[in-house]
Amino acid sequence: MKSAVETLNPTRVRLTVEVPFEELKDSLDAAYKKINQQVTVKGFRKGKIPARVIDQRFGRGAVLEEAVNDALPKLYTEAVNEAELNPLGQPEVDITELKDNELLSFTAEVDVRPTIEIPDYSGIEVEVDAVEVTDEDIEKSVQQLRDRFASTTPVERAAEDGDVVTIDLEAKVDGEVLEDGVAKDVSYTIGSGELLDGIDDAVKGLSAGEEATFTSELKGGSAAGKEAEVTVKVTQVAARELPELDDEFAQLASEFDTLEELKADSRKRLENMKQYDQATQAQERVLDKLLELVEVPVPEKLLEDEINTRKHNLEHHQLAQMGLTLDRYLEIQGKTAEEFETETREAAIKGIKTQFVLDELVNKEKLNVNQEELTEHLMRRAASSGMSPDQFAQAVVEGGQVPMLVGEVARGKALALVVEAATVKDTNGEVVDLDDEEESEEADASAESAETTSTEAGEAGEEKPEA
């Protein structure tokens, strides 16, 4: 077999392959055997039809077609390996010449990973928000905890802001009560904004046994997005009573003996959260700076597939679970279809570039993933997916996704390496020293932002061509 490579552009090549006919012998034998099992010829036992009879009865062309389709994937893979290419996606194959008993020639055009030069990234500098926890932040945190321990007492008066009311709801669209539009004994805190728009104004001023009707757009269910006439009946009004902010409350709501100890713990937790957010911000901004330094051509077919994948996941998974259409989602977000298309395309380009650059860094820095790192990453992914570690691990193995997880961890390590070399300062001008463990976790999370392309780009090279 002879092969040659022609570079069409930085992300696409054309392979030209010539195969002497004797190299197709195994595929020809397999073709005759397959046809033997599929056809019946009078006078011959099934599977024992001579090759010459198959040629006469069914045509040599059918045999050649079957043999070529069998041989193409192996020949293509051999040519790719010989040229040391990193293909992305399925090739476009064209058989240019097929001479029986002489020669098979074909071309295969395919997208490939671009050659990327990683520059010196040690000079990257980024600014992040300073970690500052104010007394107001502490008071807000303690107040939220206090709200959780509020008690309610039924009262014989009209409902007011902050009261907890028990209500029955009935929604009608075009005068018809919806099958899923009736709810009984719903507990609702007036002013929380957790139910329908307009319900606060409707229930305020109502006493137990009274009802009101208002119009609101339904947020979910069978008529999501439609205007409905909603009847709300109050069956109970209860006043919320907050506990006193004292040492007794601290003992009730936490493991601490005093209110001051509780506040000190709140400050520590808020500082940890802001440090975590700061580390995430550092990862994102360092990544943006790195991508600015590197020229990364993006294969058009890969980009098109990635955009379509993102749209499909949003429309048919995320929005479908919330009972929203894409049009309604854009309306809520205040975006036009053109703005959505632009944002999706930009996010897809960044995702693909991120993967290419981090993969190149993994190779350049010779980064490896050990079993402990892979296990820790699997645990985090399982937690975010809502599955148990065992369930998630089984799904990963059965789906052949272990290499994808390894790639995620490796890319996380690559990004952590860049962050470690960068200078990170906060808005006060202070150099931020990111904790190693926290940095590793954040790098892992940041690298995962590009993983919608990892399966496509990482495994597409294994797809087989068809004649």
Side-chain angles (χ1 to χ4, degrees), residues 157-164 189-192 200-201 204-205 238-240:
R157 60 166 172 76
E160 302 173 355
D161 262 328
D163 285 344
V164 178
T189 301
I190 300 176
S192 66
D200 289 337
D201 291 336
K204 276 190 294 187
R240 295 176 75 246

Side-chain angles (χ1 to χ4, degrees), residues 26 30 59 162 175 189 195 207 214 219 242 244 247-249 283 290 342 352 378 381 392 424 427 444:
D26 289 344
T189 301
L195 283 179
S207 299
F214 64 101
K219 296 181 180 179
L242 297 174
E244 292 293 329
D247 293 346
E248 185 176 340
F249 167 71
Q283 293 286 345
L290 177 63
T342 299
I352 293 172
L378 186 148
R381 287 293 302 272
F392 187 79
V424 181
T427 49
D444 187 61

Side-chain angles (χ1 to χ4, degrees), residues 29-230:
D29 292 343
Y32 278 116
K33 185 176 181 180
K34 183 176 181 179
I35 294 174
N36 240 309
Q37 298 300 322
Q38 295 175 337
V39 301
T40 301
V41 175
K42 190 174 181 180
F44 296 95
R45 287 181 296 165
K46 196 174 185 66
K48 300 295 183 180
I49 308 170
R52 59 179 177 76
V53 175
I54 290 177
D55 288 347
Q56 292 170 355
R57 295 292 298 272
F58 304 102
R60 174 71 168 176
V63 179
L64 291 177
E65 181 179 351
E66 184 66 41
V68 169
N69 279 333
D70 176 75
L72 268 179
K74 293 174 284 187
L75 296 170
Y76 167 74
T77 300
E78 186 178 336
V80 164
N81 292 338
E82 185 178 293
E84 298 182 343
L85 299 176
N86 291 309
L88 300 170
Q90 196 170 30
E92 295 179 5
V93 177
D94 181 28
I95 297 175
T96 55
E97 189 173 11
L98 178 58
K99 291 183 178 179
D100 197 0
N101 291 316
E102 290 186 33
L103 181 73
L104 165 66
S105 297
F106 68 90
T107 62
E109 287 191 19
V110 66
D111 287 332
V112 293
R113 281 178 176 264
T115 300
I116 299 173
E117 293 293 331
I118 303 295
D120 179 16
Y121 48 79
S122 61
I124 290 178
E125 294 186 10
V126 297
E127 183 180 75
V128 295
D129 295 336
V131 174
E132 296 176 344
V133 177
T134 65
D135 291 341
E136 184 179 340
D137 294 331
I138 305 299
E139 293 302 324
K140 183 178 179 181
S141 175
V142 174
Q143 185 61 46
Q144 289 173 344
L145 183 62
R146 187 187 182 198
D147 287 341
R148 288 170 50 193
F149 283 85
S151 59
T152 57
T153 303
V155 293
E156 298 294 330
R157 60 166 172 76
E160 302 173 355
D161 262 328
D163 285 344
V164 178
V165 290
T166 303
I167 54 177
D168 296 336
L169 294 165
E170 181 184 84
K172 294 181 180 180
V173 173
D174 298 329
E176 296 291 329
V177 178
L178 300 171
E179 289 185 10
D180 55 353
V182 178
K184 299 288 187 180
D185 297 325
V186 177
S187 181
Y188 175 66
T189 301
I190 300 176
S192 66
E194 294 173 352
L195 283 179
L196 300 169
D197 293 337
I199 194 169
D200 289 337
D201 291 336
V203 297
K204 276 190 294 187
L206 297 183
S207 299
E210 296 180 335
E211 63 181 48
T213 300
F214 64 101
T215 302
S216 182
E217 184 178 295
L218 299 179
K219 296 181 180 179
S222 61
K226 293 185 178 180
E227 289 288 330
E229 183 182 83
V230 182

Side-chain angles (χ1 to χ4, degrees), residues 401-417:
Q401 300 298 302
V402 174
M404 183 190 75
L405 283 189
V406 172
E408 291 178 5
V409 178
R411 282 186 277 275
K413 294 179 70 173
L415 184 52
L417 201 66

Side-chain angles (χ1 to χ4, degrees), residues 207-278:
S207 299
E210 296 180 335
E211 63 181 48
T213 300
F214 64 101
T215 302
S216 182
E217 184 178 295
L218 299 179
K219 296 181 180 179
S222 61
K226 293 185 178 180
E227 289 288 330
E229 183 182 83
V230 182
T231 299
V232 55
K233 180 179 180 180
V234 176
T235 59
Q236 179 181 277
V237 179
R240 295 176 75 246
E241 297 179 1
L242 297 174
E244 292 293 329
L245 280 178
D246 52 23
D247 293 346
E248 185 176 340
F249 167 71
Q251 295 164 18
L252 170 68
S254 70
E255 71 271 28
F256 302 106
D257 294 327
T258 68
L259 183 60
E260 288 307 311
E261 290 175 335
L262 174 60
K263 290 184 176 181
D265 180 69
S266 295
R267 181 179 295 276
K268 182 178 179 181
R269 285 188 298 103
L270 289 173
E271 285 176 347
N272 288 340
M273 290 172 59
K274 292 199 174 187
Q275 285 171 350
Y276 188 89
D277 292 341
Q278 186 187 63

Side-chain angles (χ1 to χ4, degrees), residues 197 217-219 224-225 323-333:
D197 293 337
E217 184 178 295
L218 299 179
K219 296 181 180 179
L324 293 176
T325 64
L326 180 59
D327 289 341
R328 176 57 183 150
Y329 167 75
L330 294 179
E331 183 181 336
I332 294 172
Q333 295 291 315

